[in-house]
Amino acid sequence: MRAEPTKLARRITGPLLFLFILGDVLGAGIYALMGELSGEVGGVLWAPLTVALLLALLTAGSYAELVTKYPRAGGAAVFAERAFGRPVISFLVGFSMLAAGVTSAAGLALAFSGDYLATFVDIPTTVAALAFLALVACLNARGISESLKSNVVMTAIEVSGLILVIVVVALMVGRGDGDVGRVTEFPDGTTPALAILGGAILAYYSFVGFETSANVVEEIKDPSRVYPRALFSALITAGVVYALVGIASAVALPPAELSQSSGPLLDVVAASGVAVPGWLFSLIALIAVANGALLTMIMSSRLTFGMSEQGLLPALFARVLPNRRTPWVAIVATTAVAMVLTLIGDLSMLAETVVLLLLFVFLSANVSVLVLRRDHVDHDHFQVWTFVPVLGIGSCVLLLTQQSAKVWLLAAALLAGGVVLYFVARRFGGQRNQTEARVDTTDGPTRSA
């Protein structure tokens, strides 16, 4: 099937998309996750990671159907507009995604500029964070192909760090050290099922990131065929790697030590007795953080572009560079917001709010699948079993109930701000001007990649 025409260049192949999603899912969080998980489930780290993968696959199934059915940048905002017919709902879904994306990027910039970077060079955190975001924006504006080729390299390094953990612990077991029996031991006094559920809620956060791929669909070659394969294979690959890292962590260190560590994987490698330089893991962590920031900013700028195409934001944000055909105004705007957020300071509460906002997005996507079943399109697309989005809705509601009151209040304040911005945009030029929407691309025909 011939891909629908688009203002953006279709340069993303199946392998590039697979690595895009894998790199976004295998983020920096896994390097700190094992310690917190160990406090929940002891040495049975693989179990909540597996359950979290299954929960993530439910919503991923809904995304696979919606993205291939409506292959337009904008992701869940586009789906909500079609499903509910209310621009304000579509705007709030898109705004939730934008707020989560730019806040996440700001947090990653601060993480990049903190202790990890200090291992190599002494630069004020704020200055380094702003410079880092500027460099990410330049790479983003240069082109999606260049950005994703950089992602290929960074994802390979990121995955190699996790594989290194697995390998050194395997060598440890091979010489008779470590304790394999710990992988089935729960903390004393806990109920295994409840411990796994509590751990799965925490582990679910490590799978967040796959949704960003919906916002580059207009740049994917043959999305109906390529997207579902890349999405599911990337998530399953990430799940397998996470489970193996969890097993390795439990074998190398007792839960009491692992749960108290702020750098659990670094401690796991040290406990293995294999000579791996400490600076090497700092470098790998820097690359993981940089990769996550790049992919997040790609998502945020493409989402801004897509919402503008839908008339939910001013037409200005749909402008693209004439040669590179990247959404330069959207890139500048999202980078500027992320830079402002880096000046806030403590982003721990914002990080929790990111998760809450994304759960709203996922809930909307799962409901949209069911609502849009009555809408038929004239091209082939992936279709998920009906029970999958139903279970996806249940999983989102379950995870939403685990958030604190402070996080709910902050998310409500952000969404209230979004409503104000929506009506301001409608009043002062937010209505879509179809002629202006085609700026910067009228000089020539759409190129095929």
PDB file of all heavy atoms in Angstrom, residues 52 60 71 73 76 79 87 91 122 180 186 233 242 256 265 281 318 351 362-363 373 386 409 421 423:
ATOM      1  N   ALA A  52       4.819  -5.833  34.382  1.00  0.00           N
ATOM      2  CA  ALA A  52       4.798  -4.485  33.817  1.00  0.00           C
ATOM      3  C   ALA A  52       4.858  -4.521  32.295  1.00  0.00           C
ATOM      4  O   ALA A  52       4.201  -3.720  31.619  1.00  0.00           O
ATOM      5  CB  ALA A  52       5.968  -3.674  34.368  1.00  0.00           C
ATOM      6  N   ALA A  60       0.010  -0.696  24.218  1.00  0.00           N
ATOM      7  CA  ALA A  60       0.731  -0.716  22.940  1.00  0.00           C
ATOM      8  C   ALA A  60      -0.138  -1.297  21.831  1.00  0.00           C
ATOM      9  O   ALA A  60      -0.073  -0.856  20.678  1.00  0.00           O
ATOM     10  CB  ALA A  60       2.023  -1.526  23.075  1.00  0.00           C
ATOM     11  N   PRO A  71      -2.596   7.402  10.307  1.00  0.00           N
ATOM     12  CA  PRO A  71      -1.148   7.672  10.310  1.00  0.00           C
ATOM     13  C   PRO A  71      -0.813   9.149  10.162  1.00  0.00           C
ATOM     14  O   PRO A  71      -0.299   9.594   9.141  1.00  0.00           O
ATOM     15  CB  PRO A  71      -0.653   6.860   9.115  1.00  0.00           C
ATOM     16  CG  PRO A  71      -1.810   6.843   8.165  1.00  0.00           C
ATOM     17  CD  PRO A  71      -3.041   6.814   9.026  1.00  0.00           C
ATOM     18  N   ALA A  73       0.905  12.594  12.418  1.00  0.00           N
ATOM     19  CA  ALA A  73       1.604  13.066  13.603  1.00  0.00           C
ATOM     20  C   ALA A  73       0.603  13.711  14.536  1.00  0.00           C
ATOM     21  O   ALA A  73      -0.370  14.324  14.109  1.00  0.00           O
ATOM     22  CB  ALA A  73       2.699  14.069  13.215  1.00  0.00           C
ATOM     23  N   ALA A  76      -1.951  10.548  20.369  1.00  0.00           N
ATOM     24  CA  ALA A  76      -3.202  10.381  21.103  1.00  0.00           C
ATOM     25  C   ALA A  76      -4.134  11.568  20.935  1.00  0.00           C
ATOM     26  O   ALA A  76      -5.358  11.420  21.034  1.00  0.00           O
ATOM     27  CB  ALA A  76      -2.905  10.147  22.583  1.00  0.00           C
ATOM     28  N   PHE A  79      -6.170  10.890  17.878  1.00  0.00           N
ATOM     29  CA  PHE A  79      -7.132   9.825  18.136  1.00  0.00           C
ATOM     30  C   PHE A  79      -8.312  10.346  18.966  1.00  0.00           C
ATOM     31  O   PHE A  79      -9.468  10.004  18.708  1.00  0.00           O
ATOM     32  CB  PHE A  79      -6.458   8.675  18.880  1.00  0.00           C
ATOM     33  CG  PHE A  79      -5.153   8.222  18.279  1.00  0.00           C
ATOM     34  CD1 PHE A  79      -4.126   7.750  19.081  1.00  0.00           C
ATOM     35  CD2 PHE A  79      -4.941   8.274  16.901  1.00  0.00           C
ATOM     36  CE1 PHE A  79      -2.927   7.333  18.532  1.00  0.00           C
ATOM     37  CE2 PHE A  79      -3.743   7.860  16.345  1.00  0.00           C
ATOM     38  CZ  PHE A  79      -2.732   7.394  17.169  1.00  0.00           C
ATOM     39  N   PRO A  87     -12.720  19.295  20.311  1.00  0.00           N
ATOM     40  CA  PRO A  87     -11.349  19.814  20.217  1.00  0.00           C
ATOM     41  C   PRO A  87     -10.691  20.044  21.564  1.00  0.00           C
ATOM     42  O   PRO A  87      -9.486  19.836  21.715  1.00  0.00           O
ATOM     43  CB  PRO A  87     -11.531  21.131  19.448  1.00  0.00           C
ATOM     44  CG  PRO A  87     -12.767  20.925  18.640  1.00  0.00           C
ATOM     45  CD  PRO A  87     -13.662  20.092  19.500  1.00  0.00           C
ATOM     46  N   PHE A  91      -7.174  18.604  22.686  1.00  0.00           N
ATOM     47  CA  PHE A  91      -6.121  19.504  23.131  1.00  0.00           C
ATOM     48  C   PHE A  91      -5.556  19.069  24.474  1.00  0.00           C
ATOM     49  O   PHE A  91      -4.341  19.071  24.688  1.00  0.00           O
ATOM     50  CB  PHE A  91      -6.645  20.939  23.228  1.00  0.00           C
ATOM     51  CG  PHE A  91      -5.613  21.909  23.705  1.00  0.00           C
ATOM     52  CD1 PHE A  91      -4.725  22.494  22.809  1.00  0.00           C
ATOM     53  CD2 PHE A  91      -5.496  22.229  25.048  1.00  0.00           C
ATOM     54  CE1 PHE A  91      -3.749  23.370  23.245  1.00  0.00           C
ATOM     55  CE2 PHE A  91      -4.535  23.109  25.495  1.00  0.00           C
ATOM     56  CZ  PHE A  91      -3.658  23.687  24.594  1.00  0.00           C
ATOM     57  N   ASP A 122      33.931  19.704  35.218  1.00  0.00           N
ATOM     58  CA  ASP A 122      33.241  20.494  36.238  1.00  0.00           C
ATOM     59  C   ASP A 122      32.613  21.735  35.600  1.00  0.00           C
ATOM     60  O   ASP A 122      33.300  22.715  35.302  1.00  0.00           O
ATOM     61  CB  ASP A 122      34.234  20.900  37.337  1.00  0.00           C
ATOM     62  CG  ASP A 122      33.528  21.603  38.497  1.00  0.00           C
ATOM     63  OD1 ASP A 122      32.298  21.508  38.567  1.00  0.00           O
ATOM     64  OD2 ASP A 122      34.229  22.243  39.314  1.00  0.00           O
ATOM     65  N   VAL A 180      22.113 -17.776  43.388  1.00  0.00           N
ATOM     66  CA  VAL A 180      21.011 -17.927  42.441  1.00  0.00           C
ATOM     67  C   VAL A 180      19.682 -18.105  43.158  1.00  0.00           C
ATOM     68  O   VAL A 180      18.623 -17.709  42.658  1.00  0.00           O
ATOM     69  CB  VAL A 180      21.285 -19.114  41.493  1.00  0.00           C
ATOM     70  CG1 VAL A 180      20.119 -19.319  40.528  1.00  0.00           C
ATOM     71  CG2 VAL A 180      22.576 -18.905  40.716  1.00  0.00           C
ATOM     72  N   PHE A 186      11.128 -13.643  48.471  1.00  0.00           N
ATOM     73  CA  PHE A 186      10.440 -12.386  48.760  1.00  0.00           C
ATOM     74  C   PHE A 186      10.871 -11.882  50.142  1.00  0.00           C
ATOM     75  O   PHE A 186      11.361 -12.662  50.972  1.00  0.00           O
ATOM     76  CB  PHE A 186       8.921 -12.594  48.753  1.00  0.00           C
ATOM     77  CG  PHE A 186       8.337 -12.813  47.392  1.00  0.00           C
ATOM     78  CD1 PHE A 186       8.187 -14.098  46.876  1.00  0.00           C
ATOM     79  CD2 PHE A 186       7.925 -11.733  46.615  1.00  0.00           C
ATOM     80  CE1 PHE A 186       7.632 -14.310  45.625  1.00  0.00           C
ATOM     81  CE2 PHE A 186       7.373 -11.931  45.364  1.00  0.00           C
ATOM     82  CZ  PHE A 186       7.229 -13.218  44.856  1.00  0.00           C
ATOM     83  N   SER A 233       8.077  -5.760  18.935  1.00  0.00           N
ATOM     84  CA  SER A 233       9.400  -6.378  19.075  1.00  0.00           C
ATOM     85  C   SER A 233      10.307  -5.554  19.987  1.00  0.00           C
ATOM     86  O   SER A 233      11.082  -6.119  20.767  1.00  0.00           O
ATOM     87  CB  SER A 233      10.053  -6.576  17.703  1.00  0.00           C
ATOM     88  OG  SER A 233      10.186  -5.337  17.020  1.00  0.00           O
ATOM     89  N   TYR A 242      15.321  -6.314  30.611  1.00  0.00           N
ATOM     90  CA  TYR A 242      15.021  -5.911  31.990  1.00  0.00           C
ATOM     91  C   TYR A 242      14.974  -7.116  32.923  1.00  0.00           C
ATOM     92  O   TYR A 242      15.513  -7.086  34.036  1.00  0.00           O
ATOM     93  CB  TYR A 242      13.670  -5.200  32.044  1.00  0.00           C
ATOM     94  CG  TYR A 242      13.676  -3.773  31.569  1.00  0.00           C
ATOM     95  CD1 TYR A 242      12.478  -3.135  31.242  1.00  0.00           C
ATOM     96  CD2 TYR A 242      14.848  -3.032  31.450  1.00  0.00           C
ATOM     97  CE1 TYR A 242      12.449  -1.817  30.811  1.00  0.00           C
ATOM     98  CE2 TYR A 242      14.829  -1.726  31.015  1.00  0.00           C
ATOM     99  CZ  TYR A 242      13.635  -1.119  30.703  1.00  0.00           C
ATOM    100  OH  TYR A 242      13.614   0.180  30.281  1.00  0.00           O
ATOM    101  N   ALA A 256      18.899  -6.465  50.736  1.00  0.00           N
ATOM    102  CA  ALA A 256      19.150  -5.386  51.700  1.00  0.00           C
ATOM    103  C   ALA A 256      20.183  -4.399  51.167  1.00  0.00           C
ATOM    104  O   ALA A 256      20.047  -3.180  51.328  1.00  0.00           O
ATOM    105  CB  ALA A 256      19.615  -5.972  53.027  1.00  0.00           C
ATOM    106  N   LEU A 265      23.184  -0.747  39.623  1.00  0.00           N
ATOM    107  CA  LEU A 265      23.870  -1.524  38.597  1.00  0.00           C
ATOM    108  C   LEU A 265      25.381  -1.349  38.678  1.00  0.00           C
ATOM    109  O   LEU A 265      26.138  -2.278  38.379  1.00  0.00           O
ATOM    110  CB  LEU A 265      23.358  -1.141  37.208  1.00  0.00           C
ATOM    111  CG  LEU A 265      21.892  -1.472  36.913  1.00  0.00           C
ATOM    112  CD1 LEU A 265      21.583  -1.278  35.446  1.00  0.00           C
ATOM    113  CD2 LEU A 265      21.548  -2.883  37.355  1.00  0.00           C
ATOM    114  N   PHE A 281      30.731   3.118  33.456  1.00  0.00           N
ATOM    115  CA  PHE A 281      29.295   3.132  33.673  1.00  0.00           C
ATOM    116  C   PHE A 281      28.741   4.549  33.710  1.00  0.00           C
ATOM    117  O   PHE A 281      27.599   4.790  33.312  1.00  0.00           O
ATOM    118  CB  PHE A 281      28.934   2.360  34.952  1.00  0.00           C
ATOM    119  CG  PHE A 281      28.140   1.124  34.666  1.00  0.00           C
ATOM    120  CD1 PHE A 281      28.771  -0.031  34.238  1.00  0.00           C
ATOM    121  CD2 PHE A 281      26.764   1.131  34.766  1.00  0.00           C
ATOM    122  CE1 PHE A 281      28.046  -1.166  33.939  1.00  0.00           C
ATOM    123  CE2 PHE A 281      26.028   0.000  34.472  1.00  0.00           C
ATOM    124  CZ  PHE A 281      26.670  -1.157  34.057  1.00  0.00           C
ATOM    125  N   ALA A 318       3.268  24.694  12.559  1.00  0.00           N
ATOM    126  CA  ALA A 318       3.342  23.705  11.483  1.00  0.00           C
ATOM    127  C   ALA A 318       4.397  24.060  10.442  1.00  0.00           C
ATOM    128  O   ALA A 318       4.577  23.336   9.462  1.00  0.00           O
ATOM    129  CB  ALA A 318       1.981  23.559  10.807  1.00  0.00           C
ATOM    130  N   ALA A 351       8.546  14.757  37.985  1.00  0.00           N
ATOM    131  CA  ALA A 351       8.757  13.438  37.383  1.00  0.00           C
ATOM    132  C   ALA A 351       7.570  12.522  37.659  1.00  0.00           C
ATOM    133  O   ALA A 351       7.112  11.782  36.774  1.00  0.00           O
ATOM    134  CB  ALA A 351      10.041  12.826  37.919  1.00  0.00           C
ATOM    135  N   PHE A 362      -2.744   7.401  27.981  1.00  0.00           N
ATOM    136  CA  PHE A 362      -2.957   5.988  27.688  1.00  0.00           C
ATOM    137  C   PHE A 362      -4.431   5.611  27.848  1.00  0.00           C
ATOM    138  O   PHE A 362      -4.976   4.825  27.059  1.00  0.00           O
ATOM    139  CB  PHE A 362      -2.104   5.119  28.614  1.00  0.00           C
ATOM    140  CG  PHE A 362      -0.620   5.252  28.376  1.00  0.00           C
ATOM    141  CD1 PHE A 362       0.275   4.757  29.307  1.00  0.00           C
ATOM    142  CD2 PHE A 362      -0.119   5.862  27.239  1.00  0.00           C
ATOM    143  CE1 PHE A 362       1.643   4.866  29.102  1.00  0.00           C
ATOM    144  CE2 PHE A 362       1.243   5.978  27.023  1.00  0.00           C
ATOM    145  CZ  PHE A 362       2.131   5.478  27.962  1.00  0.00           C
ATOM    146  N   LEU A 363      -5.069   6.144  28.888  1.00  0.00           N
ATOM    147  CA  LEU A 363      -6.487   5.862  29.098  1.00  0.00           C
ATOM    148  C   LEU A 363      -7.310   6.360  27.919  1.00  0.00           C
ATOM    149  O   LEU A 363      -8.198   5.657  27.415  1.00  0.00           O
ATOM    150  CB  LEU A 363      -6.954   6.536  30.398  1.00  0.00           C
ATOM    151  CG  LEU A 363      -8.404   6.307  30.813  1.00  0.00           C
ATOM    152  CD1 LEU A 363      -8.673   4.827  31.038  1.00  0.00           C
ATOM    153  CD2 LEU A 363      -8.722   7.102  32.070  1.00  0.00           C
ATOM    154  N   ARG A 373     -14.084   1.967  16.541  1.00  0.00           N
ATOM    155  CA  ARG A 373     -14.317   0.724  15.804  1.00  0.00           C
ATOM    156  C   ARG A 373     -15.402   0.900  14.744  1.00  0.00           C
ATOM    157  O   ARG A 373     -15.440   0.185  13.745  1.00  0.00           O
ATOM    158  CB  ARG A 373     -14.699  -0.403  16.779  1.00  0.00           C
ATOM    159  CG  ARG A 373     -13.498  -1.006  17.513  1.00  0.00           C
ATOM    160  CD  ARG A 373     -12.672  -1.840  16.567  1.00  0.00           C
ATOM    161  NE  ARG A 373     -11.392  -2.230  17.112  1.00  0.00           N
ATOM    162  CZ  ARG A 373     -11.175  -3.294  17.894  1.00  0.00           C
ATOM    163  NH1 ARG A 373     -12.191  -4.054  18.259  1.00  0.00           N
ATOM    164  NH2 ARG A 373      -9.963  -3.576  18.292  1.00  0.00           N
ATOM    165  N   THR A 386     -10.459  -7.060  20.860  1.00  0.00           N
ATOM    166  CA  THR A 386     -11.251  -6.104  21.634  1.00  0.00           C
ATOM    167  C   THR A 386     -10.938  -6.146  23.129  1.00  0.00           C
ATOM    168  O   THR A 386     -10.948  -5.118  23.808  1.00  0.00           O
ATOM    169  CB  THR A 386     -12.752  -6.362  21.416  1.00  0.00           C
ATOM    170  OG1 THR A 386     -13.051  -6.226  20.030  1.00  0.00           O
ATOM    171  CG2 THR A 386     -13.604  -5.375  22.208  1.00  0.00           C
ATOM    172  N   LEU A 409      -2.923  16.975  42.495  1.00  0.00           N
ATOM    173  CA  LEU A 409      -3.154  18.423  42.527  1.00  0.00           C
ATOM    174  C   LEU A 409      -2.288  19.144  41.501  1.00  0.00           C
ATOM    175  O   LEU A 409      -2.756  20.055  40.807  1.00  0.00           O
ATOM    176  CB  LEU A 409      -2.878  18.959  43.933  1.00  0.00           C
ATOM    177  CG  LEU A 409      -3.920  18.605  45.004  1.00  0.00           C
ATOM    178  CD1 LEU A 409      -3.446  19.075  46.375  1.00  0.00           C
ATOM    179  CD2 LEU A 409      -5.276  19.221  44.665  1.00  0.00           C
ATOM    180  N   LEU A 421      -4.742  27.978  27.989  1.00  0.00           N
ATOM    181  CA  LEU A 421      -3.964  28.147  26.758  1.00  0.00           C
ATOM    182  C   LEU A 421      -4.789  27.793  25.525  1.00  0.00           C
ATOM    183  O   LEU A 421      -4.668  28.441  24.475  1.00  0.00           O
ATOM    184  CB  LEU A 421      -2.713  27.274  26.808  1.00  0.00           C
ATOM    185  CG  LEU A 421      -1.620  27.722  27.782  1.00  0.00           C
ATOM    186  CD1 LEU A 421      -0.499  26.691  27.811  1.00  0.00           C
ATOM    187  CD2 LEU A 421      -1.080  29.094  27.402  1.00  0.00           C
ATOM    188  N   PHE A 423      -8.073  28.076  25.042  1.00  0.00           N
ATOM    189  CA  PHE A 423      -9.030  29.123  24.687  1.00  0.00           C
ATOM    190  C   PHE A 423      -8.329  30.406  24.251  1.00  0.00           C
ATOM    191  O   PHE A 423      -8.837  31.129  23.387  1.00  0.00           O
ATOM    192  CB  PHE A 423      -9.981  29.380  25.852  1.00  0.00           C
ATOM    193  CG  PHE A 423     -11.004  28.302  26.028  1.00  0.00           C
ATOM    194  CD1 PHE A 423     -10.944  27.433  27.101  1.00  0.00           C
ATOM    195  CD2 PHE A 423     -12.022  28.131  25.089  1.00  0.00           C
ATOM    196  CE1 PHE A 423     -11.880  26.421  27.251  1.00  0.00           C
ATOM    197  CE2 PHE A 423     -12.966  27.129  25.232  1.00  0.00           C
ATOM    198  CZ  PHE A 423     -12.888  26.266  26.315  1.00  0.00           C
TER     199      PHE A 423
END
